[in-house]
Amino acid sequence: MTHDPTGTPQAGSAAPTAEQRTGWWRDAVIYQVYPRSFADGNGDGMGDLDGVRTRLPYLAGLGVDAVWLSPFYASPQADAGYDVADYRAIDPMFGTLDDAAAVIREAHALGLRIIVDLVPNHCSDQHVWFRQALSEGPGSPLRERFHFRPGKGTDGELPPNDWESVFGGPAWTRTTNPDETPGEWYLHLFAPEQPDFNWEHPAVQDEFRSILRFWLDLGTDGFRIDVAHGLVKADGLPDMGRGEQLKLLGSQKLPFFDQDGVHEIYRSWRKVLDEYAGERIGVAEAWTPSADRTALYLRPDELHQAFNFHYLGAGWNAAELREAIDASLDAMRPVGAPTTWVLSNHDVVRHTTRYADGDPERGLRRARAAVLLMLALPGSAYVYQGEELGLPEVTDLPDEVRQDPSFFKENGQEGLRDGCRVPIPWSGTEAPYGFGPEPGGPSWLPQPDVWAKYSVEAQTGDPTSTLELYRAAIALRREHPALGAGDAVEWLDAPEGVLAVRRTPADGASGAGGAGGAGGGAAGRASDGVFVCTVNTTGEPVRVPAPGRMLLASDGAVARGAVVEGGDAVLPADSAVWWTT
C-alpha cells in the first residue's frame, strides 16, 4: 500500500517510478519557521499554527518550495518544544491537531510542501514512558527504553561516566526511588528534562516508525531530524577521560555522537518514507567531524539531505568559502546526494550580525551578497525566518526575559540563542509589529524599537530592500536551470578576495530533477545559457570583467549600472552580482 500526498492510503498502487520522481528536494529552497516567533494568531504573545496558516500566502509569494516547522508538539517547553511529551499531539500554546492539518492542507493548495521537526534522540521527562519508569523504580522494563545506570562511588553518588551535557554540567541526573531513597542515574545529553532514548531497544524503534507514519498519513512531506547523529551511543558508555567536551563537538567522533549504528536506523526509516507517494524526505541535523562523515547519512538507502554546518561556519572570506563549497560538493557527489547551504537557523547568531565585525551596515551588505552566492550553488538552500528581512541578532535582551536553558548553566553552550528567536516584524510602527492581531499586544520576547524598518510591510515594493532582493533571487533561481541543479561548479579566475563561479545548464545534467514547488522540476524553466556569480568579499571596490548581462546585484550601485569602459564592472565592497550570457 502507498499513500498520496495528502496521506490517503491507495490500496494496490505502486511506488513512483524513476520517471515519476521529480527530485523536488534536490534544489529546493526551504524556509524555516520557528512557530513561537513567526506569527501569533490569537494575540497571546506566542506564535502558533493558526498564525503560520494565515501567513502561508506570504511564503508562497516569497517563492520558496517548502516550509520546515520547528517543534509544535505537546511539551512542558523546558527547551522550547524540543522536550516532547507526546509526539502525536499539539501543544495547546500552538493550537490543535486540526490546526496542524489545516496548515498542511492549505500549504499544499499553495504549492508548498511541509516538513516537520522530529526529535528522536530524547523526549520530555513528562513523556508517559519516562514517568512510568520513574514511578515503578529500579527493575521497571520501561527503564530499558532509556539509559538508566547505577552511579559510581561508595553509595552510587557519582555519575556513571564523565559525559557532559551540551547545555552544561553532567549529562546524568540521579533519580529518587519510590521509597525516597537515592536511586539510579539517567542520561540526558541536553537538559535534565530531556532523557535520552535507548535506541537499542526494539520498542523505541517501533514507536518512532509509528510516529513517522502518523505524520505522513496527515500529509507531511518530510522530517527534519533533530540531533540525528546522537541516537546511538558507544557500547558500554565509556568515559571520555577529559572535560570541556563541548569544544570537541563537530571536530571528532565522540562516544555519544556520530556512532555508526545510527545508519541502520535511517535505513529502516527510508523504507517507511518510500512507502508514500510524493517523495517524502528525511533531513539530518548531523554535527559530524567532516563533510565525508555527513555524507554517510545520505547514502541512497538512508536520508535525503543533511544540514551543511561546515558551510554555515565559514567566515566572510573568499578562500574559506571556496574551500567549504568544494569540500561539500566533493563529499556529497559519491553518494549522489545534493549539498545543502544554510546561513542561519534557530540555534546560531544571525549571519547579518556574524558577518558584521561590529558594523551593522557592513553585516547587512555581506548578508545580501551571501544569499546571492548561496542561491547560485548546486543543491538545496535553507532560509531562516527573518533573514529575508535582513534582521540582525538581538544582542541586548535583558537576563530576566531569556528562556534558553543553556543560559542558566555553566560550561555549556553560550546560552544566547534567544537573540535569533525574537518574533519577526510584519507591519506597523510599534510592537508587536503585526506579529499579533492587536497593536501594542504582547510578544514572548521583546522586539527592538527599530524593528519597524525591517517589517514586511516596510520593505514590500521597495526595490532596494532585502526582502525584494530575496524575492527576485528566488524567482530567478526558478527561471534558470543552471541555478541549484547538478553537483559541481566551475571557478573562474578572479582577483584575490573575489569569487567567480560559473554555472551552465549542463551542470545539472547529472541531477534528478529540480525545484519548482509541489508541482514540478527544472524541466519547465527557461534557459538563458551560461550563468556567473561574482562575489567581492573584500572591504574595497574591485574591478572585474563583466561576463555578460547583469541579472541581479546585492548592491544598489551595481544595479544602477556600474559597468565601466572596456566591458569591466566595479564590484563595491562586500557585494555580489548575477550575470547571464
Side-chain angles (χ1 to χ4, degrees):
M1 179 177 291
T2 59
H3 305 68
D4 71 15
T6 64
T8 305
Q10 296 178 303
S13 61
T17 65
E19 291 74 18
Q20 293 170 326
R21 298 188 185 106
T22 65
W24 68 267
W25 43 275
R26 299 190 69 89
D27 61 357
V29 178
I30 300 174
Y31 186 100
Q32 180 189 359
V33 165
Y34 192 69
R36 60 172 53 208
S37 299
F38 188 65
D40 173 13
N42 61 11
D44 65 356
M46 183 68 65
D48 48 42
L49 289 174
D50 191 55
V52 173
R53 182 187 60 78
T54 62
R55 296 297 187 178
L56 288 172
Y58 164 78
L59 298 177
L62 186 61
V64 300
D65 301 290
V67 179
W68 153 34
L69 297 170
S70 292
F72 45 68
Y73 308 108
S75 166
Q77 303 295 320
D79 183 24
Y82 283 92
D83 50 318
V84 181
D86 187 341
Y87 290 86
R88 297 178 181 84
I90 307 300
D91 195 282
M93 74 165 56
F94 296 125
T96 66
L97 196 58
D98 286 341
D99 293 326
V103 168
I104 296 168
R105 182 175 60 251
E106 295 190 25
H108 286 168
L110 290 167
L112 295 168
R113 288 179 165 88
I114 293 292
I115 297 168
V116 299
D117 229 308
L118 189 63
V119 189
N121 178 72
H122 49 263
C123 63
S124 166
D125 61 357
Q126 298 305 302
H127 190 284
V128 62
W129 286 2
F130 192 76
R131 292 176 63 187
Q132 187 173 343
L134 288 181
S135 66
E136 292 180 356
S140 168
L142 282 173
R143 293 201 171 198
E144 298 175 5
R145 302 180 186 186
F146 301 92
H147 295 279
F148 281 87
R149 295 289 188 277
K152 294 181 178 180
T154 305
D155 298 310
E157 72 277 9
L158 301 177
N161 68 20
D162 64 359
W163 293 1
E164 297 171 359
S165 164
V166 173
F167 287 168
W172 297 88
T173 290
R174 196 172 193 183
T175 64
T176 300
N177 291 325
D179 63 2
E180 301 300 322
T181 60
E184 297 176 316
W185 298 71
Y186 68 88
L187 177 68
H188 53 85
L189 291 179
F190 294 87
E193 297 88 351
Q194 296 170 291
D196 279 41
F197 284 113
N198 174 17
W199 272 88
E200 303 294 331
H201 199 289
V204 175
Q205 300 178 25
D206 290 344
E207 170 68 357
F208 272 89
R209 283 191 290 266
S210 174
I211 292 167
L212 290 176
R213 289 190 172 95
F214 177 86
W215 288 101
L216 291 167
D217 287 342
L218 199 66
T220 57
D221 299 285
F223 302 90
R224 177 267 189 185
I225 303 160
D226 184 64
V227 196
H229 55 300
L231 277 56
V232 173
K233 279 68 175 176
D235 290 342
L237 309 184
D239 278 337
M240 285 282 294
R242 60 162 295 171
E244 297 187 312
Q245 296 163 17
L246 180 64
K247 295 180 179 179
L248 303 179
L249 297 184
S251 65
Q252 62 180 265
K253 192 173 181 181
L254 303 172
F256 44 82
F257 281 158
D258 195 33
Q259 295 292 304
D260 291 337
V262 299
H263 300 291
E264 189 59 38
I265 296 169
Y266 297 131
R267 292 187 187 100
S268 73
W269 286 20
R270 180 61 178 261
K271 292 176 182 177
V272 174
L273 292 168
D274 287 349
E275 293 174 5
Y276 290 75
E279 294 182 279
R280 317 298 178 90
I281 69 169
V283 182
E285 182 208 29
W287 289 88
T288 67
S290 69
D292 291 331
R293 289 293 302 181
T294 301
L296 297 179
Y297 292 76
L298 308 178
R299 288 173 285 195
D301 60 345
E302 294 190 42
L303 301 174
H304 299 76
Q305 292 184 349
F307 289 119
N308 190 345
F309 294 117
H310 305 287
Y311 183 72
L312 184 151
W316 185 246
N317 173 278
E320 195 172 339
L321 288 166
R322 178 170 174 170
E323 181 180 5
I325 291 166
D326 286 341
S328 300
L329 293 170
D330 289 347
M332 298 302 131
R333 200 173 296 118
V335 297
T339 305
T340 63
W341 312 103
V342 60
L343 297 169
S344 287
N345 64 32
H346 65 292
D347 281 333
V348 301
V349 173
R350 288 186 178 274
H351 63 281
T352 311
T353 298
R354 293 201 319 272
Y355 290 159
D357 291 336
D359 181 348
E361 291 185 2
R362 177 169 52 205
L364 181 58
R365 288 198 308 270
R366 291 176 172 178
R368 288 168 60 96
V371 72
L372 293 194
L373 175 60
M374 179 177 77
L375 292 177
L377 298 173
S380 182
Y382 281 78
V383 173
Y384 177 52
Q385 66 177 44
E387 76 170 74
E388 79 278 16
L389 305 177
L391 292 184
E393 186 84 355
V394 180
T395 58
D396 57 355
L397 288 170
D399 291 354
E400 59 268 21
V401 306
R402 293 191 177 276
Q403 300 192 29
D404 184 346
S406 60
F407 179 76
F408 305 99
K409 300 284 186 179
E410 294 182 1
N411 303 318
Q413 292 179 327
E414 76 292 331
L416 302 177
R417 294 179 298 171
D418 294 315
C420 65
R421 300 175 178 183
V422 173
I424 67 172
W426 291 93
S427 61
T429 59
E430 62 177 305
Y433 306 107
F435 169 66
E438 297 295 333
S443 62
W444 72 281
L445 284 174
Q447 300 156 302
D449 292 338
V450 298
W451 233 224
K453 70 178 182 180
Y454 293 106
S455 74
V456 172
E457 179 183 62
Q459 296 195 45
T460 295
D462 178 358
T464 67
S465 72
T466 302
L467 175 58
E468 294 298 351
L469 177 69
Y470 269 73
R471 285 173 171 161
I474 294 172
L476 285 169
R477 181 181 163 100
R478 283 181 178 271
E479 295 172 9
H480 290 262
L483 296 177
D487 58 13
V489 298
E490 178 187 358
W491 296 106
L492 305 179
D493 291 337
E496 184 176 357
V498 174
L499 295 174
V501 58
R502 178 159 58 193
R503 309 294 317 286
T504 69
D507 291 337
S510 62
R525 296 184 294 184
S527 174
D528 278 334
V530 175
F531 174 95
V532 175
C533 176
T534 54
V535 186
N536 177 12
T537 68
T538 77
E540 302 293 335
V542 176
R543 179 169 172 159
V544 298
R549 175 171 59 90
M550 186 182 302
L551 284 174
L552 189 64
S554 67
D555 186 286
V558 179
R560 289 190 292 272
V563 178
V564 299
E565 293 182 7
D568 286 351
V570 174
L571 300 181
D574 302 314
S575 69
V577 180
W578 283 1
W579 314 85
T580 190
T581 59

